[in-house]
């Protein structure tokens, strides 16, 4: 197994890069990077130690943000390579629209302004959710999604807990199978713990591509494969994680293996990965077996730990306890 690069490695790379500057420039540069202020005398003692002291308590997402900000202004091959070793490249392109959690007929979408990518749902908008708020450096957290739900549903304006419960129930309505529901509920158990609102939101049934025609309206396969992702997580620094739960329809027709379906699936995976997404798959059967919730909980623990995102103390929560 490949070794996991530690946050301390990135701290050291940032400190080494900043230490190339003149001692009298280091304090001002640290302030520009959002770090604690200091004086030139401390920097003259050791530029490297000066910077490391201010990086010591930062977690991986914040360290990545500091590194990117430094590289926006200065060249550092070593820091660039260290940052790349974390997979800290994200997805090119700005976030514009999140259309998700459809629980009814397919929405009909028109492009109002192709220059600024303005969309409008002209039919079946009541069956899906649309999030258009700008994303911060932390990605999209459960707390931010709940705040948005409160702002669009006046009955929850004074009760965040009720808004969170209502939103979770609405998202569950879009799930198509028991394996999808198990994965979703296992992760959502995190939200009830202290710090749960700061966890990345697990967003179900997200439109990635849009084909205006349904399968029934086409005589053959459409030009866009996998119009919807089962689950999406928008993580810090523009990282996007896709999670798919594969039923038999992903690779067979009428109980017989279908090479075309399998080829389409892996081809789309390649395209997503080359675009900067991470893609993880669960077999639907895997999530029907005893202990499946513990498998899912362990996956999320490893995934978020790898991303440097702190978890509540008990990852498995109530959903895993009931498996």
């Amino acid at each position: 197994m490949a070794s996991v690069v530690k946050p301390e490695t990135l701290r050291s790379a940032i400190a080494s890069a900043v230490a190339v500057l003149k001692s009298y420039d280091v304090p001002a540069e640290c302030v520009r990077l959002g770090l604690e202020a200091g004086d030139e005398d401390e920097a003259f003692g050791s530029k490297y130690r000066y910077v490391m002291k201010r990086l010591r308590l930062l977690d991986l997402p914040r360290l990545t943000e500091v590194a990117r900000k430094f590289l926006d202004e200065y060249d550092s091959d070593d820091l660039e390579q260290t940052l790349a070793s974390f997979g800290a490249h994200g997805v090119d392109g700005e976030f514009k629209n999140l259309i998700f959690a459809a629980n009814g007929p397919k929405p009909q979408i028109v492009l109002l302004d192709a220059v600024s990518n303005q969309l409008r749902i002209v039919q079946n908008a009541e069956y899906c959710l649309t999030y258009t708020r700008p994303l911060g450096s932390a990605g999209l957290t459960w707390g931010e999604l709940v705040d948005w739900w409160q702002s669009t549903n006046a009955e929850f304006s004074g009760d965040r807990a009720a808004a969170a419960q209502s939103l979770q129930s609405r998202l569950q309505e879009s799930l198509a199978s028991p394996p999808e529901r198990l994965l979703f509920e296992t992760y959502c158990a995190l939200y009830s713990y202290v710090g749960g609102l700061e966890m990345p939101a697990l967003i179900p049934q997200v439109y990635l591509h849009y084909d205006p025609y349904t399968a029934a309206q086409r005589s053959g396969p459409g030009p866009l494969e996998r119009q919807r992702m089962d689950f999406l997580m928008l993580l810090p620094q523009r990282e996007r994680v896709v999670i798919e739960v594969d039923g038999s329809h992903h690779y067979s027709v009428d109980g017989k293996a279908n090479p075309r379906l399998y080829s389409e699936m892996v081809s789309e995976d390649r395209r997503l990965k080359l675009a900067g997404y991470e893609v993880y798959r669960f077999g639907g059967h895997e999530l029907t077996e005893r202990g499946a919730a513990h498998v899912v909980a362990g996956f999320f623990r490893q995934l978020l730990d790898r991303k440097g995102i702190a978890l509540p103390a008990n990852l498995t929560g109530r959903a895993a306890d009931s498996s």
Side-chain angles (χ1 to χ4, degrees):
M1 178 181 293
S3 60
V4 177
V5 183
K6 302 296 184 183
E8 187 69 7
T9 304
L10 184 54
R11 289 190 187 95
S12 181
I14 295 170
S16 296
V18 177
V20 172
L21 305 179
K22 299 293 186 182
S23 296
Y24 50 77
D25 289 331
V26 168
E29 177 61 15
C30 284
V31 171
R32 188 186 74 84
L33 295 173
L35 305 178
E36 179 186 345
D39 56 46
E40 290 183 14
D41 289 341
E42 184 184 355
F44 271 104
S46 171
K47 294 181 286 184
Y48 178 85
R49 286 199 297 270
Y50 180 96
V51 182
M52 282 294 284
K53 176 181 177 182
R54 287 153 177 79
L55 297 173
R56 185 62 63 194
L57 298 180
L58 302 188
D59 60 12
L60 184 55
R62 181 74 179 94
L63 288 169
T64 303
E65 184 178 346
V66 170
R68 287 183 183 279
K69 192 168 185 179
F70 181 83
L71 291 170
D72 285 343
E73 190 72 20
Y74 301 97
D75 291 326
S76 173
D77 291 341
D78 289 343
L79 182 55
E80 286 271 16
Q81 292 173 9
T82 302
L83 201 57
S85 71
F86 283 85
H89 47 77
V91 175
D92 292 335
E94 296 299 324
F95 173 88
K96 293 291 185 181
N97 309 283
L98 190 67
I99 301 172
F100 62 107
N103 63 353
K106 180 179 180 177
Q108 293 188 15
I109 302 170
V110 298
L111 185 61
L112 291 180
D113 185 341
V115 176
S116 56
N117 193 29
Q118 294 182 12
L119 306 179
R120 175 178 294 172
I121 302 175
V122 295
Q123 190 171 339
N124 299 327
E126 67 271 27
Y127 298 110
C128 64
L129 304 179
T130 306
Y131 185 94
T132 58
R133 290 183 175 182
L135 289 185
S137 61
L140 181 58
T141 67
W142 176 241
E144 289 171 322
L145 202 59
V146 170
D147 290 344
W148 163 79
W149 187 248
Q150 281 187 280
S151 72
T152 56
N153 294 272
E155 66 268 32
F156 302 120
S157 60
D159 192 340
R160 200 180 197 192
Q165 184 175 5
S166 169
L167 175 57
Q168 186 171 328
S169 296
R170 171 60 185 82
L171 297 180
Q172 286 175 316
E173 291 176 8
S174 70
L175 303 177
S177 67
E180 288 183 358
R181 286 191 286 274
L182 181 139
L183 186 145
F184 183 74
E185 291 168 3
T186 301
Y187 183 79
C188 287
L190 288 172
Y191 299 151
S192 64
Y193 292 98
V194 174
L197 289 171
E198 304 307 313
M199 296 301 302
L202 182 63
I203 311 158
Q205 300 301 313
V206 179
Y207 275 94
L208 174 65
H209 309 306
Y210 183 76
D211 182 343
Y213 297 99
T214 64
Q217 293 172 311
R218 289 190 178 276
S219 58
L224 299 173
E225 304 300 337
R226 194 192 303 166
Q227 292 186 52
R228 285 193 298 186
M229 299 174 281
D230 288 342
F231 298 98
L232 175 68
M233 302 177 82
L234 300 170
L235 301 183
Q237 305 306 320
R238 298 166 66 151
E239 290 196 82
R240 301 177 188 178
V241 172
V242 176
I243 301 171
E244 295 285 342
V245 177
D246 296 341
S248 59
H249 62 282
H250 285 81
Y251 52 82
S252 67
V253 175
D254 297 329
K256 296 182 180 180
N258 187 300
R260 180 184 63 80
L261 289 179
Y262 179 76
S263 296
E264 289 172 354
M265 181 177 69
V266 296
S267 174
E268 179 66 6
D269 278 0
R270 288 196 305 271
R271 193 198 67 79
L272 282 175
K273 291 174 182 178
L274 289 172
Y277 289 79
E278 291 185 29
V279 181
Y280 297 93
R281 291 186 171 277
F282 286 88
H285 179 73
E286 178 184 11
L287 300 186
T288 64
E289 298 183 318
R290 182 173 179 82
H294 288 286
V295 171
V296 172
F299 162 75
F300 281 116
R301 180 189 294 112
Q302 290 180 291
L303 173 66
L304 297 179
D305 182 66
R306 179 170 174 264
K307 301 297 182 182
I309 298 172
L311 299 172
N314 183 350
L315 176 64
T316 56
R318 292 188 299 273
D321 291 339
S322 63
S323 65

